[in-house]
Amino acid sequence: MANILEIEGLSFRYPDSTRKAVVDFHLAVPEGEIVVLAGPSGCGKSTLLRAVNGLIPHMYSGEYSGDVRVGGASVKSSTMTDLAQRVGFLFQNPENQIFMFTVERDIAFGLENLGVPRPEIRSRVDEAMGLLGIGELALRAPYELSDGQKQRVALAGVLAMRPRLVILDEPTSLLDPKTAAELVGIVAKLRLDLGMTFLVVEHRLDLLVKLADRLVVMNEGKKVLEGTPREVLFGGEAEAYGVSVPAVTKVQKLLASDGLVREDELLSAQELAAAVRSAEA
Amino acid sequence: MMWLSGGFIFRRGTSVYHRLDPRVKLLISSLMFVTTLLVRSLYELAMVIAFMVAVAAVATVLRRVARTMALTFIFSTVIFVLNLIVTKNLETSALYAVRFVAIVVSTSLFFITTSPDELEQVMKTFRLPRDVVFAFVTAVRFIPVMMLDTLQIMDAQKSRGLELEKGNIIRRVRNMIPVLIPLVVNSVVRSGELAEAMESRAYGAVRRPTSLVEYKASWADKVVAFAAVAIFVLTAYSFYFVLPTTVL
Ligand SMILES: Nc1ncnc2c1ncn2[C@@H]1O[C@H](COP(=O)(O)OP(=O)(O)OP(=O)(O)O)[C@@H](O)[C@H]1O
Ligand SMILES: [Mg+2]
Protein backbone atom coordinates (compact mmCIF):
# COMPACT_ATOMS: atom_id res chain seq x y z
CA MET A 1 0.00 0.00 0.00
CA ALA A 2 1.11 3.57 -0.60
CA ASN A 3 2.72 5.49 2.21
CA ILE A 4 0.42 8.10 3.67
CA LEU A 5 3.26 9.62 5.69
CA GLU A 6 6.89 9.95 4.72
CA ILE A 7 9.44 11.66 6.91
CA GLU A 8 12.82 12.07 5.26
CA GLY A 9 15.80 13.30 7.22
CA LEU A 10 13.79 15.70 9.34
CA SER A 11 15.71 17.87 11.78
CA PHE A 12 14.22 20.68 13.80
CA ARG A 13 15.54 23.10 16.38
CA TYR A 14 13.26 25.50 18.30
CA PRO A 15 14.44 29.10 17.96
CA ASP A 16 15.25 29.60 21.67
CA SER A 17 16.96 26.24 22.06
CA THR A 18 20.57 25.17 21.59
CA ARG A 19 19.81 21.51 20.90
CA LYS A 20 17.83 20.01 18.05
CA ALA A 21 14.54 18.52 19.24
CA VAL A 22 14.37 16.13 16.27
CA VAL A 23 17.51 14.87 14.54
CA ASP A 24 17.70 13.37 11.04
CA PHE A 25 14.49 11.41 11.44
CA HIS A 26 13.21 8.94 8.85
CA LEU A 27 9.87 7.18 8.92
CA ALA A 28 7.45 5.80 6.33
CA VAL A 29 3.92 4.84 7.32
CA PRO A 30 1.74 2.85 4.89
CA GLU A 31 -1.94 3.75 4.80
CA GLY A 32 -4.04 1.90 7.37
CA GLU A 33 -1.25 1.15 9.84
CA ILE A 34 -1.18 1.92 13.53
CA VAL A 35 2.25 3.13 14.53
CA VAL A 36 3.17 3.71 18.17
CA LEU A 37 5.89 6.17 19.08
CA ALA A 38 7.54 5.82 22.48
CA GLY A 39 10.52 7.25 24.27
CA PRO A 40 11.59 9.16 27.36
CA SER A 41 10.13 12.54 28.25
CA GLY A 42 11.60 15.37 26.21
CA CYS A 43 12.93 13.10 23.45
CA GLY A 44 10.99 14.99 20.78
CA LYS A 45 7.81 12.99 20.30
CA SER A 46 5.43 15.94 20.39
CA THR A 47 7.80 17.92 18.20
CA LEU A 48 7.69 15.18 15.59
CA LEU A 49 3.87 15.18 15.67
CA ARG A 50 3.83 18.95 15.17
CA ALA A 51 5.99 18.50 12.11
CA VAL A 52 3.51 15.97 10.74
CA ASN A 53 0.44 18.21 10.92
CA GLY A 54 2.29 21.34 9.93
CA LEU A 55 2.32 23.30 13.20
CA ILE A 56 6.04 23.01 12.51
CA PRO A 57 7.06 24.95 10.40
CA HIS A 58 3.83 26.97 9.91
CA MET A 59 3.30 28.06 13.51
CA TYR A 60 6.71 27.41 15.07
CA SER A 61 9.60 29.02 13.31
CA GLY A 62 13.02 27.47 13.83
CA GLU A 63 15.76 25.62 12.04
CA TYR A 64 14.05 23.11 9.75
CA SER A 65 15.63 20.68 7.36
CA GLY A 66 14.54 17.52 5.62
CA ASP A 67 11.05 16.85 4.36
CA VAL A 68 7.71 15.58 5.62
CA ARG A 69 5.09 14.43 3.12
CA VAL A 70 1.48 13.61 3.87
CA GLY A 71 -0.34 11.83 1.06
CA GLY A 72 2.54 12.74 -1.21
CA ALA A 73 2.33 16.50 -0.62
CA SER A 74 5.10 18.28 1.24
CA VAL A 75 3.96 19.71 4.58
CA LYS A 76 6.28 22.67 4.20
CA SER A 77 4.60 23.85 1.00
CA SER A 78 1.02 22.98 2.03
CA THR A 79 -1.18 25.46 3.88
CA MET A 80 -2.36 24.90 7.46
CA THR A 81 -5.96 24.87 6.15
CA ASP A 82 -5.16 22.09 3.73
CA LEU A 83 -3.27 20.11 6.37
CA ALA A 84 -6.06 20.51 8.90
CA GLN A 85 -8.28 18.46 6.61
CA ARG A 86 -5.77 15.73 5.96
CA VAL A 87 -4.18 15.25 9.38
CA GLY A 88 -6.27 15.13 12.55
CA PHE A 89 -4.40 16.01 15.75
CA LEU A 90 -5.71 14.89 19.10
CA PHE A 91 -3.73 16.75 21.74
CA GLN A 92 -2.86 15.45 25.16
CA ASN A 93 -5.25 17.65 27.12
CA PRO A 94 -8.79 17.44 25.74
CA GLU A 95 -9.85 20.44 27.82
CA ASN A 96 -7.72 22.78 25.74
CA GLN A 97 -9.10 21.72 22.40
CA ILE A 98 -12.79 22.18 23.13
CA PHE A 99 -13.75 25.74 22.26
CA MET A 100 -17.50 25.98 22.10
CA PHE A 101 -20.25 25.82 24.71
CA THR A 102 -21.96 22.75 23.41
CA VAL A 103 -20.56 19.44 22.25
CA GLU A 104 -22.17 19.52 18.81
CA ARG A 105 -21.04 23.04 18.10
CA ASP A 106 -17.53 22.15 19.12
CA ILE A 107 -17.48 19.16 16.82
CA ALA A 108 -18.67 21.50 14.07
CA PHE A 109 -15.88 24.02 14.78
CA GLY A 110 -13.43 22.87 12.11
CA LEU A 111 -16.13 22.55 9.46
CA GLU A 112 -17.53 25.99 10.28
CA ASN A 113 -14.02 27.39 9.88
CA LEU A 114 -13.79 25.81 6.45
CA GLY A 115 -17.08 27.36 5.40
CA VAL A 116 -18.80 24.02 4.83
CA PRO A 117 -22.55 24.51 4.17
CA ARG A 118 -24.85 23.95 7.14
CA PRO A 119 -26.63 20.72 6.04
CA GLU A 120 -23.26 19.11 5.31
CA ILE A 121 -21.92 20.18 8.74
CA ARG A 122 -25.02 18.71 10.37
CA SER A 123 -24.60 15.32 8.75
CA ARG A 124 -20.85 15.15 9.41
CA VAL A 125 -21.28 16.14 13.07
CA ASP A 126 -23.94 13.47 13.50
CA GLU A 127 -21.69 10.95 11.79
CA ALA A 128 -18.75 11.77 14.07
CA MET A 129 -20.93 11.58 17.19
CA GLY A 130 -22.25 8.25 15.97
CA LEU A 131 -18.75 6.85 15.46
CA LEU A 132 -17.84 7.69 19.04
CA GLY A 133 -21.21 6.94 20.61
CA ILE A 134 -21.68 10.41 22.07
CA GLY A 135 -24.94 11.38 20.42
CA GLU A 136 -26.68 11.92 23.73
CA LEU A 137 -24.04 14.46 24.78
CA ALA A 138 -24.79 16.74 21.81
CA LEU A 139 -26.17 19.64 23.82
CA ARG A 140 -23.97 19.33 26.92
CA ALA A 141 -21.55 22.06 27.93
CA PRO A 142 -17.85 21.15 28.28
CA TYR A 143 -17.97 21.45 32.06
CA GLU A 144 -20.71 18.82 32.15
CA LEU A 145 -18.40 16.17 30.69
CA SER A 146 -16.06 13.65 32.29
CA ASP A 147 -12.43 13.45 31.12
CA GLY A 148 -13.18 10.41 29.00
CA GLN A 149 -16.16 12.15 27.41
CA LYS A 150 -14.08 15.26 26.72
CA GLN A 151 -11.52 13.08 25.01
CA ARG A 152 -14.22 11.59 22.78
CA VAL A 153 -15.66 14.99 21.97
CA ALA A 154 -12.22 16.25 21.01
CA LEU A 155 -11.69 13.17 18.84
CA ALA A 156 -15.10 13.65 17.24
CA GLY A 157 -14.10 17.22 16.35
CA VAL A 158 -11.03 15.81 14.65
CA LEU A 159 -12.95 13.02 12.85
CA ALA A 160 -15.62 15.40 11.54
CA MET A 161 -12.94 16.79 9.23
CA ARG A 162 -12.54 13.25 7.81
CA PRO A 163 -8.74 13.09 7.97
CA ARG A 164 -6.95 10.07 6.51
CA LEU A 165 -4.19 10.28 9.11
CA VAL A 166 -4.85 10.85 12.81
CA ILE A 167 -2.09 11.64 15.28
CA LEU A 168 -2.68 11.20 18.98
CA ASP A 169 -0.35 12.67 21.62
CA GLU A 170 -0.49 10.56 24.78
CA PRO A 171 -4.25 10.15 24.43
CA THR A 172 -4.68 8.01 27.53
CA SER A 173 -2.44 9.88 29.95
CA LEU A 174 -5.37 11.65 31.64
CA LEU A 175 -7.76 8.72 31.52
CA ASP A 176 -8.49 5.94 34.01
CA PRO A 177 -7.58 2.41 32.82
CA LYS A 178 -11.10 1.48 31.73
CA THR A 179 -11.66 4.67 29.74
CA ALA A 180 -8.19 4.33 28.27
CA ALA A 181 -9.02 0.81 27.10
CA GLU A 182 -12.23 2.13 25.53
CA LEU A 183 -10.30 4.76 23.61
CA VAL A 184 -7.91 2.13 22.30
CA GLY A 185 -10.98 0.13 21.23
CA ILE A 186 -12.24 3.14 19.29
CA VAL A 187 -8.91 3.45 17.49
CA ALA A 188 -9.09 -0.23 16.53
CA LYS A 189 -12.63 0.20 15.21
CA LEU A 190 -11.82 3.30 13.17
CA ARG A 191 -8.90 1.58 11.52
CA LEU A 192 -11.00 -1.46 10.75
CA ASP A 193 -14.12 0.37 9.52
CA LEU A 194 -12.62 3.40 7.82
CA GLY A 195 -9.06 2.35 7.11
CA MET A 196 -7.68 5.35 8.96
CA THR A 197 -3.98 5.54 9.73
CA PHE A 198 -2.84 6.31 13.27
CA LEU A 199 0.39 7.65 14.67
CA VAL A 200 0.16 7.41 18.45
CA VAL A 201 2.55 8.68 21.11
CA GLU A 202 1.90 6.45 24.08
CA HIS A 203 3.51 5.24 27.28
CA ARG A 204 0.88 2.66 28.14
CA LEU A 205 2.20 0.07 25.77
CA ASP A 206 0.25 -2.77 27.36
CA LEU A 207 -2.92 -1.37 25.81
CA LEU A 208 -1.58 -0.75 22.35
CA VAL A 209 0.95 -3.48 21.59
CA LYS A 210 -1.71 -5.92 20.48
CA LEU A 211 -3.07 -3.40 18.01
CA ALA A 212 0.06 -1.70 16.73
CA ASP A 213 1.66 -2.73 13.48
CA ARG A 214 4.83 -0.97 14.39
CA LEU A 215 6.61 0.41 17.42
CA VAL A 216 9.12 3.21 17.03
CA VAL A 217 11.36 4.24 19.92
CA MET A 218 12.92 7.70 20.01
CA ASN A 219 15.72 9.04 22.14
CA GLU A 220 17.21 12.53 22.13
CA GLY A 221 15.45 13.39 18.89
CA LYS A 222 16.65 10.31 17.01
CA LYS A 223 14.89 7.14 16.01
CA VAL A 224 16.69 4.38 17.94
CA LEU A 225 14.44 1.34 17.43
CA GLU A 226 11.81 0.37 14.92
CA GLY A 227 9.96 -2.87 14.27
CA THR A 228 6.90 -4.86 15.22
CA PRO A 229 6.08 -4.49 18.93
CA ARG A 230 7.39 -8.04 19.43
CA GLU A 231 10.70 -7.29 17.77
CA VAL A 232 11.24 -4.07 19.66
CA LEU A 233 10.12 -5.24 23.09
CA PHE A 234 12.08 -8.50 22.93
CA GLY A 235 15.11 -6.98 21.30
CA GLY A 236 16.47 -6.28 24.77
CA GLU A 237 17.23 -2.61 24.14
CA ALA A 238 13.80 -1.07 24.70
CA GLU A 239 14.06 -0.92 28.48
CA ALA A 240 17.27 1.07 28.23
CA TYR A 241 15.23 3.87 26.62
CA GLY A 242 12.65 3.86 29.38
CA VAL A 243 10.05 1.95 27.38
CA SER A 244 7.98 -0.03 29.82
CA VAL A 245 7.78 -3.67 28.77
CA PRO A 246 4.27 -5.07 29.45
CA ALA A 247 3.98 -7.05 32.72
CA VAL A 248 2.89 -10.16 30.80
CA THR A 249 6.20 -10.21 29.02
CA LYS A 250 8.13 -9.99 32.31
CA VAL A 251 6.06 -12.76 33.95
CA GLN A 252 6.57 -14.98 30.94
CA LYS A 253 10.33 -14.44 31.09
CA LEU A 254 10.36 -15.45 34.78
CA LEU A 255 8.26 -18.56 34.11
CA ALA A 256 10.48 -19.45 31.18
CA SER A 257 13.61 -19.18 33.32
CA ASP A 258 12.00 -21.68 35.71
CA GLY A 259 11.24 -23.91 32.76
CA LEU A 260 7.46 -23.58 33.27
CA VAL A 261 6.66 -22.21 29.81
CA ARG A 262 8.53 -22.21 26.60
CA GLU A 263 10.60 -19.14 25.84
CA ASP A 264 8.17 -17.53 23.41
CA GLU A 265 7.72 -13.86 22.77
CA LEU A 266 4.33 -13.23 24.35
CA LEU A 267 2.55 -9.89 24.54
CA SER A 268 -0.89 -10.53 25.97
CA ALA A 269 -2.45 -12.24 28.96
CA GLN A 270 -4.33 -14.56 26.59
CA GLU A 271 -1.12 -15.67 24.94
CA LEU A 272 0.51 -16.30 28.30
CA ALA A 273 -2.49 -18.28 29.61
CA ALA A 274 -2.43 -20.44 26.49
CA ALA A 275 1.30 -21.06 26.94
CA VAL A 276 0.86 -22.09 30.59
CA ARG A 277 -1.99 -24.45 29.70
CA SER A 278 -0.03 -26.13 26.94
CA ALA A 279 2.98 -26.48 29.27
CA GLU A 280 0.77 -28.27 31.85
CA ALA A 281 -0.73 -30.60 29.29
CA MET B 1 -17.36 37.67 43.11
CA MET B 2 -20.15 35.49 44.41
CA TRP B 3 -22.89 38.00 43.78
CA LEU B 4 -21.60 38.47 40.29
CA SER B 5 -21.56 34.78 39.51
CA GLY B 6 -24.99 34.26 41.06
CA GLY B 7 -26.62 37.12 39.21
CA PHE B 8 -24.92 36.91 35.86
CA ILE B 9 -24.16 33.31 35.05
CA PHE B 10 -26.48 31.56 32.65
CA ARG B 11 -28.30 28.42 33.65
CA ARG B 12 -30.40 26.44 31.26
CA GLY B 13 -34.09 27.19 31.43
CA THR B 14 -37.18 26.23 29.50
CA SER B 15 -39.40 29.27 30.04
CA VAL B 16 -40.87 31.18 27.10
CA TYR B 17 -38.52 34.01 28.01
CA HIS B 18 -35.47 31.76 27.72
CA ARG B 19 -36.67 30.68 24.29
CA LEU B 20 -36.94 34.22 22.95
CA ASP B 21 -34.46 35.25 20.30
CA PRO B 22 -31.37 36.54 22.17
CA ARG B 23 -31.55 39.83 20.29
CA VAL B 24 -35.07 40.38 21.61
CA LYS B 25 -33.89 39.67 25.15
CA LEU B 26 -31.09 42.17 24.65
CA LEU B 27 -33.61 44.71 23.38
CA ILE B 28 -35.87 44.22 26.41
CA SER B 29 -33.00 44.52 28.88
CA SER B 30 -31.64 47.60 27.12
CA LEU B 31 -35.03 49.29 27.12
CA MET B 32 -35.50 48.52 30.82
CA PHE B 33 -32.02 49.88 31.46
CA VAL B 34 -32.77 53.12 29.61
CA THR B 35 -36.14 53.45 31.37
CA THR B 36 -34.45 53.37 34.78
CA LEU B 37 -32.34 56.31 33.61
CA LEU B 38 -35.44 58.24 32.52
CA VAL B 39 -37.13 57.78 35.88
CA ARG B 40 -37.55 60.95 37.92
CA SER B 41 -39.33 59.75 41.05
CA LEU B 42 -39.32 56.80 43.41
CA TYR B 43 -42.91 56.18 42.41
CA GLU B 44 -41.96 55.74 38.75
CA LEU B 45 -38.97 53.66 39.71
CA ALA B 46 -41.21 51.34 41.72
CA MET B 47 -43.32 50.80 38.59
CA VAL B 48 -40.23 49.96 36.54
CA ILE B 49 -38.99 47.51 39.14
CA ALA B 50 -42.43 45.92 39.35
CA PHE B 51 -42.27 45.42 35.59
CA MET B 52 -38.82 43.80 35.88
CA VAL B 53 -40.09 41.49 38.60
CA ALA B 54 -42.94 40.50 36.28
CA VAL B 55 -40.44 39.71 33.51
CA ALA B 56 -38.37 37.71 35.99
CA ALA B 57 -41.51 35.78 36.95
CA VAL B 58 -42.24 34.97 33.31
CA ALA B 59 -38.64 33.83 32.92
CA THR B 60 -38.99 31.76 36.12
CA VAL B 61 -35.87 33.32 37.57
CA LEU B 62 -37.56 35.25 40.40
CA ARG B 63 -35.45 33.63 43.11
CA ARG B 64 -32.17 34.38 41.43
CA VAL B 65 -33.20 37.94 40.68
CA ALA B 66 -34.30 38.37 44.29
CA ARG B 67 -30.89 37.18 45.43
CA THR B 68 -29.17 39.56 43.05
CA MET B 69 -31.27 42.37 44.47
CA ALA B 70 -30.46 41.40 48.03
CA LEU B 71 -26.75 41.26 47.27
CA THR B 72 -26.71 44.61 45.44
CA PHE B 73 -28.25 46.05 48.55
CA ILE B 74 -24.81 46.57 50.15
CA PHE B 75 -23.66 48.62 47.17
CA SER B 76 -26.85 50.65 47.03
CA THR B 77 -26.51 51.44 50.72
CA VAL B 78 -23.08 52.89 50.03
CA ILE B 79 -24.53 54.89 47.13
CA PHE B 80 -27.35 56.09 49.37
CA VAL B 81 -25.03 57.24 52.15
CA LEU B 82 -22.60 58.98 49.79
CA ASN B 83 -25.43 60.78 48.02
CA LEU B 84 -26.97 61.80 51.29
CA ILE B 85 -23.69 63.34 52.39
CA VAL B 86 -23.31 65.23 49.11
CA THR B 87 -26.90 66.26 48.28
CA LYS B 88 -28.48 66.17 51.76
CA ASN B 89 -31.67 65.18 49.96
CA LEU B 90 -33.34 61.98 51.14
CA GLU B 91 -35.45 61.27 48.07
CA THR B 92 -32.72 61.93 45.50
CA SER B 93 -30.33 59.69 47.44
CA ALA B 94 -32.94 56.95 47.67
CA LEU B 95 -33.64 57.31 43.95
CA TYR B 96 -29.98 56.84 43.06
CA ALA B 97 -29.64 53.89 45.41
CA VAL B 98 -32.71 52.07 44.11
CA ARG B 99 -31.87 52.95 40.51
CA PHE B 100 -28.60 51.08 40.95
CA VAL B 101 -30.52 47.96 41.96
CA ALA B 102 -32.80 48.37 38.93
CA ILE B 103 -29.83 48.71 36.56
CA VAL B 104 -28.22 45.56 37.92
CA VAL B 105 -31.48 43.65 37.65
CA SER B 106 -32.13 44.72 34.05
CA THR B 107 -28.63 43.63 33.06
CA SER B 108 -28.67 40.39 34.98
CA LEU B 109 -32.04 39.43 33.46
CA PHE B 110 -30.31 39.35 30.09
CA PHE B 111 -27.28 37.40 31.23
CA ILE B 112 -29.06 34.75 33.27
CA THR B 113 -31.48 33.90 30.47
CA THR B 114 -29.06 34.05 27.54
CA SER B 115 -26.69 31.16 26.89
CA PRO B 116 -23.10 31.90 25.84
CA ASP B 117 -24.03 30.43 22.47
CA GLU B 118 -26.75 33.05 22.08
CA LEU B 119 -24.40 35.79 23.25
CA GLU B 120 -22.08 34.75 20.47
CA GLN B 121 -24.98 34.99 18.05
CA VAL B 122 -25.79 38.51 19.25
CA MET B 123 -22.18 39.54 18.76
CA LYS B 124 -22.22 38.11 15.26
CA THR B 125 -25.34 40.07 14.31
CA PHE B 126 -23.50 43.21 15.37
CA ARG B 127 -20.90 42.18 12.79
CA LEU B 128 -18.05 42.18 15.27
CA PRO B 129 -14.84 40.74 13.82
CA ARG B 130 -14.57 36.96 14.03
CA ASP B 131 -11.46 37.20 16.24
CA VAL B 132 -13.23 39.40 18.77
CA VAL B 133 -16.23 37.08 18.94
CA PHE B 134 -13.98 34.06 19.27
CA ALA B 135 -11.90 35.67 22.01
CA PHE B 136 -15.11 36.32 23.91
CA VAL B 137 -16.35 32.77 23.34
CA THR B 138 -13.18 31.18 24.69
CA ALA B 139 -13.03 33.60 27.62
CA VAL B 140 -16.52 32.62 28.71
CA ARG B 141 -15.92 28.97 27.91
CA PHE B 142 -12.91 28.86 30.22
CA ILE B 143 -14.42 30.69 33.21
CA PRO B 144 -15.50 27.46 34.94
CA VAL B 145 -12.18 25.80 34.06
CA MET B 146 -10.18 28.68 35.55
CA MET B 147 -12.36 28.72 38.66
CA LEU B 148 -11.66 25.03 39.19
CA ASP B 149 -7.97 25.66 38.52
CA THR B 150 -7.90 28.37 41.17
CA LEU B 151 -9.56 26.17 43.76
CA GLN B 152 -7.14 23.35 43.04
CA ILE B 153 -4.09 25.60 43.31
CA MET B 154 -5.45 27.11 46.54
CA ASP B 155 -5.92 23.64 48.01
CA ALA B 156 -2.46 22.58 46.90
CA GLN B 157 -0.80 25.66 48.39
CA LYS B 158 -2.83 25.38 51.60
CA SER B 159 -1.72 21.80 52.04
CA ARG B 160 1.85 23.07 51.77
CA GLY B 161 1.22 25.46 54.64
CA LEU B 162 0.02 28.62 52.91
CA GLU B 163 -2.44 30.47 55.15
CA LEU B 164 -4.91 32.35 53.00
CA GLU B 165 -7.35 33.38 55.70
CA LYS B 166 -4.89 34.87 58.18
CA GLY B 167 -3.64 38.36 58.81
CA ASN B 168 -4.61 41.86 57.74
CA ILE B 169 -5.67 42.82 54.25
CA ILE B 170 -2.14 43.52 52.95
CA ARG B 171 -0.93 40.23 54.32
CA ARG B 172 -3.86 38.42 52.68
CA VAL B 173 -3.25 39.99 49.31
CA ARG B 174 0.44 39.04 49.58
CA ASN B 175 -0.60 35.50 50.45
CA MET B 176 -2.49 35.27 47.15
CA ILE B 177 0.76 35.54 45.17
CA PRO B 178 1.60 31.81 45.42
CA VAL B 179 -1.88 31.18 44.02
CA LEU B 180 -1.70 33.76 41.25
CA ILE B 181 1.67 32.75 39.82
CA PRO B 182 0.73 29.14 38.99
CA LEU B 183 -2.60 30.42 37.73
CA VAL B 184 -0.90 32.78 35.28
CA VAL B 185 1.54 30.06 34.20
CA ASN B 186 -1.38 27.69 33.62
CA SER B 187 -3.17 30.28 31.51
CA VAL B 188 -0.11 30.91 29.37
CA VAL B 189 0.34 27.18 28.77
CA ARG B 190 -3.36 26.89 28.05
CA SER B 191 -3.40 29.68 25.49
CA GLY B 192 -0.44 28.09 23.71
CA GLU B 193 -2.27 24.79 23.52
CA LEU B 194 -5.47 26.48 22.41
CA ALA B 195 -3.64 28.26 19.60
CA GLU B 196 -2.22 24.94 18.37
CA ALA B 197 -5.63 23.28 18.48
CA MET B 198 -7.22 26.22 16.62
CA GLU B 199 -4.63 26.04 13.84
CA SER B 200 -5.14 22.29 13.58
CA ARG B 201 -8.85 22.81 13.04
CA ALA B 202 -8.57 25.33 10.25
CA TYR B 203 -9.34 28.46 12.26
CA GLY B 204 -9.37 31.44 9.94
CA ALA B 205 -9.47 29.34 6.77
CA VAL B 206 -12.26 31.35 5.16
CA ARG B 207 -13.35 34.94 5.73
CA ARG B 208 -16.96 34.02 6.45
CA PRO B 209 -17.21 30.82 8.50
CA THR B 210 -20.53 29.00 8.37
CA SER B 211 -22.44 27.84 11.43
CA LEU B 212 -24.07 24.61 12.53
CA VAL B 213 -26.96 26.39 14.16
CA GLU B 214 -29.13 29.05 12.65
CA TYR B 215 -30.93 31.63 14.70
CA LYS B 216 -33.97 33.14 13.10
CA ALA B 217 -36.39 35.49 14.77
CA SER B 218 -39.86 33.93 14.68
CA TRP B 219 -43.04 35.97 14.32
CA ALA B 220 -43.52 35.57 18.10
CA ASP B 221 -40.08 37.13 18.65
CA LYS B 222 -41.05 40.01 16.42
CA VAL B 223 -44.35 40.54 18.26
CA VAL B 224 -42.56 40.59 21.61
CA ALA B 225 -39.95 43.02 20.28
CA PHE B 226 -42.66 45.30 18.94
CA ALA B 227 -44.59 45.14 22.23
CA ALA B 228 -41.41 45.94 24.18
CA VAL B 229 -40.77 49.05 22.10
CA ALA B 230 -44.43 50.10 22.42
CA ILE B 231 -44.38 49.70 26.20
CA PHE B 232 -41.14 51.64 26.35
CA VAL B 233 -42.52 54.54 24.30
CA LEU B 234 -45.72 54.67 26.36
CA THR B 235 -43.76 54.57 29.64
CA ALA B 236 -41.35 57.30 28.58
CA TYR B 237 -44.28 59.40 27.36
CA SER B 238 -46.21 59.00 30.61
CA PHE B 239 -43.12 59.80 32.71
CA TYR B 240 -42.75 63.15 31.01
CA PHE B 241 -46.28 64.14 30.11
CA VAL B 242 -48.76 62.24 32.27
CA LEU B 243 -47.38 61.47 35.71
CA PRO B 244 -46.71 64.34 38.12
CA THR B 245 -43.04 65.21 38.57
CA THR B 246 -41.74 65.31 42.11
CA VAL B 247 -37.99 65.59 42.29
CA LEU B 248 -35.17 66.26 39.80
N1 LIG C 1 7.63 25.30 22.17
C1 LIG C 1 8.91 24.95 22.45
N2 LIG C 1 9.89 25.87 22.44
C2 LIG C 1 11.17 25.52 22.72
N3 LIG C 1 11.54 24.28 23.04
C3 LIG C 1 10.62 23.31 23.07
C4 LIG C 1 9.24 23.61 22.79
N4 LIG C 1 8.54 22.46 22.91
C5 LIG C 1 9.44 21.50 23.25
N5 LIG C 1 10.68 22.01 23.35
C6 LIG C 1 11.90 21.25 23.66
O1 LIG C 1 12.10 20.29 22.65
C7 LIG C 1 12.48 19.04 23.20
C8 LIG C 1 11.51 17.96 22.80
O2 LIG C 1 10.24 18.25 23.39
P1 LIG C 1 8.93 17.44 23.07
O3 LIG C 1 7.81 18.17 23.71
O4 LIG C 1 8.85 17.18 21.63
O5 LIG C 1 9.22 16.09 23.85
P2 LIG C 1 8.26 14.86 24.17
O6 LIG C 1 8.96 13.64 23.75
O7 LIG C 1 6.92 15.11 23.60
O8 LIG C 1 8.20 14.88 25.75
P3 LIG C 1 6.99 14.48 26.72
O9 LIG C 1 6.98 12.98 26.79
O10 LIG C 1 7.40 15.07 28.02
O11 LIG C 1 5.74 15.06 26.18
C9 LIG C 1 12.57 19.25 24.70
O12 LIG C 1 13.91 19.48 25.03
C10 LIG C 1 11.74 20.48 24.95
O13 LIG C 1 12.25 21.20 26.04
MG1 LIG D 1 4.99 15.48 24.44
Side-chain angles (χ1 to χ4, degrees), chain A residues 14 16-17 19 21 40-47 50 60 170 203:
Chain A
Y14 287 100
D16 48 359
S17 165
R19 217 165 45 85
S41 183
C43 72
K45 303 180 295 292
S46 299
T47 306
R50 284 183 186 132
Y60 290 88
E170 303 189 32
H203 290 296

Side-chain angles (χ1 to χ4, degrees), chain A residues 129-152:
Chain A
M129 289 194 296
L131 281 171
L132 298 183
I134 51 171
E136 75 281 10
L137 304 180
L139 296 174
R140 294 248 190 117
Y143 57 85
E144 295 168 319
L145 303 172
S146 69
D147 284 343
Q149 288 170 333
K150 277 180 201 158
Q151 187 75 274
R152 285 184 189 212

Side-chain angles (χ1 to χ4, degrees), chain A residues 38-218:
Chain A
S41 183
C43 72
K45 303 180 295 292
S46 299
T47 306
L48 191 73
L49 295 190
R50 284 183 186 132
V52 171
N53 100 317
L55 288 173
I56 292 174
H58 295 295
M59 192 170 144
Y60 290 88
S61 56
E63 202 180 291
Y64 185 103
S65 61
D67 198 18
V68 179
R69 285 189 300 274
V70 174
S74 169
V75 165
K76 209 167 27 177
S77 51
S78 305
T79 62
M80 231 15 242
T81 303
D82 185 26
L83 287 162
Q85 296 168 73
R86 290 191 287 138
V87 186
F89 199 149
L90 186 73
F91 295 88
Q92 188 169 2
N93 189 349
E95 188 82 78
N96 294 344
Q97 46 194 315
I98 298 177
F99 304 102
M100 307 308 282
F101 309 109
T102 62
V103 164
E104 61 170 21
R105 287 219 51 203
D106 189 78
I107 297 171
F109 181 73
L111 302 172
E112 292 182 354
N113 287 334
L114 290 169
V116 173
R118 179 173 301 127
E120 168 89 15
I121 299 183
R122 182 78 260 169
S123 73
R124 287 223 238 160
V125 167
D126 290 344
E127 175 193 280
M129 289 194 296
L131 281 171
L132 298 183
I134 51 171
E136 75 281 10
L137 304 180
L139 296 174
R140 294 248 190 117
Y143 57 85
E144 295 168 319
L145 303 172
S146 69
D147 284 343
Q149 288 170 333
K150 277 180 201 158
Q151 187 75 274
R152 285 184 189 212
V153 170
L155 186 55
V158 165
L159 296 182
M161 315 267 280
R162 292 191 182 147
R164 293 303 300 157
L165 170 64
V166 176
I167 52 189
L168 313 172
D169 198 351
E170 303 189 32
T172 68
S173 64
L174 298 173
L175 303 181
D176 62 78
K178 181 168 170 282
T179 321
E182 282 168 9
L183 185 79
V184 172
I186 288 170
V187 169
K189 179 172 169 284
L190 289 173
R191 194 253 300 253
L192 199 66
D193 294 354
L194 305 174
M196 278 182 180
T197 311
F198 288 89
L199 178 58
V200 191
V201 168
E202 184 58 78
H203 290 296
R204 273 186 180 159
L205 291 178
D206 53 333
L207 283 174
L208 269 164
V209 282
K210 283 169 273 174
L211 206 60
D213 299 292
R214 213 131 39 103
L215 179 57
V216 175
V217 179
M218 255 180 113

